[in-house]
């Protein structure tokens, strides 16, 4: 009977994780895909501190960005990837977000130590950062930005930090930025990895599926 519960759990959970229709993805293994607009060639693939695999996108220059043009007004898409945080770095600014322009991340999540050096933040207007209750920690963190026809969602490490029931019609460019003034170069190292753009709402990471699966299994066992 236990085998039946496990099989049922896998049957329920695995299709959810496999449902993504990938529009664009880059794991930066060996190089940065040419579809990115790499401002001033500031980013390069480097074989240290990768989130997964052997390479990550890296820059130690401020005011550099990677931008991908989806080519149309985005609807029902999730932009996700990983950033590496170094809480000891100050000042430290980076963002991942969406915009109508390739040089900006109007709607974004990230870090701005001058606004709040202890927590991750988000912004909706390209200017004003809003603090979340998620503490900054050393290591890799997942961002997910969902742009729907009638909704917008921002998540950090699987936690929703902002949601609204109206879409963002200006979402055409998806980008990662090492923010700050060029006059401050060189900056602290910035790392991004395993970036992808896919149809639909954010899909939980495998660890979340495992927790969900255990919950389903426990539920059925309690009913025995």
């Amino acid at each position: 009977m236990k085998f039946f519960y496990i099989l049922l759990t896998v049957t329920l959970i695995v299709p959810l994780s496999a449902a993504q229709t990938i529009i664009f993805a880059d794991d930066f293994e060996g190089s940065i895909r040419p579809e990115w607009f790499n401002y001033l060639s500031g980013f390069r693939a480097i074989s240290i501190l990768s989130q997964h695999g052997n390479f990550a996108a890296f820059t130690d220059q401020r005011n550099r960005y990677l931008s991908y043009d989806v080519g149309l007004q985005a609807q029902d898409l999730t932009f996700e990837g990983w950033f590496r945080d170094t809480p000891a770095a100050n000042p430290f600014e980076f963002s991942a977000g969406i915009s109508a322009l390739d040089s900006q991340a109007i709607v974004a999540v990230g870090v701005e130590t001058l606004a709040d050096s202890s927590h991750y933040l988000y912004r909706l207007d390209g200017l004003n950062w809003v603090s979340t209750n998620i503490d900054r920690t050393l290591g890799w963190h997942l961002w997910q930005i969902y742009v729907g026809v009638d909704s917008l969602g921002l998540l950090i490490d699987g936690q929703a930090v902002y949601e609204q029931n109206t879409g963002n019609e200006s979402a055409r460019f998806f980008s990662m930025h090492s923010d700050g003034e060029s006059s401050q170069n060189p900056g602290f190292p910035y790392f991004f990895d395993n970036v992808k753009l896919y149809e639909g709402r954010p899909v939980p990471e495998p660890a979340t599926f495992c927790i969900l699966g255990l919950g389903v299994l426990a539920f059925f066992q309690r009913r025995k």
Side-chain angles (χ1 to χ4, degrees):
M1 184 62 70
K2 182 178 290 186
F3 174 77
F4 169 75
Y5 293 142
I6 294 173
L7 180 61
L8 178 60
T9 299
V10 172
T11 302
L12 290 172
I13 301 305
V14 170
L16 294 175
S17 63
Q20 297 178 8
T21 299
I22 304 295
I23 296 173
F24 177 76
D26 197 349
D27 58 10
F28 306 106
E29 290 301 301
S31 63
I32 291 175
R33 287 185 57 169
E35 293 92 335
W36 290 109
F37 176 68
N38 189 359
Y39 178 61
L40 294 180
S41 301
F43 279 88
R44 65 184 187 274
I46 192 169
S47 59
I48 60 173
L49 294 178
S50 60
Q51 187 273 330
H52 181 75
N54 298 313
F55 288 81
F58 163 83
T59 187
D60 61 358
Q61 300 292 298
R62 297 181 187 272
N63 192 30
R64 302 292 187 266
Y65 59 87
L66 289 173
S67 177
Y68 177 74
D69 182 0
V70 75
L72 47 83
Q73 296 299 326
Q75 293 183 341
D76 194 31
L77 299 178
T78 293
F79 176 47
E80 78 170 39
W82 294 80
F83 63 84
R84 182 173 176 82
D85 190 14
T86 308
N90 192 6
F92 193 56
E93 305 171 55
F94 65 81
S95 59
I98 59 177
S99 178
L101 302 173
D102 67 349
S103 60
Q104 295 178 297
I106 300 297
V107 176
V109 296
V111 167
E112 165 57 276
T113 55
L114 297 180
D116 184 343
S117 61
S118 301
H119 302 91
Y120 297 113
L121 303 98
Y122 69 89
R123 69 185 181 206
L124 304 174
D125 59 3
L127 297 172
N128 299 298
W129 287 104
V130 179
S131 297
T132 72
N133 61 359
I134 304 176
D135 294 335
R136 292 180 63 197
T137 57
L138 177 66
W140 287 97
H141 299 273
L142 174 69
W143 87 77
Q144 293 170 306
I145 300 175
Y146 171 72
V147 185
V149 176
D150 57 359
S151 59
L152 173 69
L154 310 178
L155 299 89
I156 299 175
D157 290 336
Q159 300 183 54
V161 297
Y162 180 82
E163 294 178 286
Q164 70 180 37
N165 59 7
T166 57
N168 190 300
E169 297 180 356
S170 63
R172 173 174 172 173
F173 293 92
F174 297 78
S175 56
M176 299 96 70
H177 298 249
S178 62
D179 297 322
E181 299 298 327
S182 298
S183 60
Q184 296 174 306
N185 285 326
F188 293 100
Y190 300 85
F191 296 90
F192 296 97
D193 205 357
N194 295 305
V195 177
K196 58 185 174 181
L197 182 66
Y198 56 87
E199 294 181 356
R201 293 182 176 275
V203 175
E205 285 299 291
T208 304
F209 285 119
C210 291
I211 294 171
L212 181 57
L214 291 173
V216 173
L217 180 58
F219 171 78
F220 282 112
Q221 287 180 325
R222 286 196 301 269
R223 290 176 60 89
K224 290 199 305 180

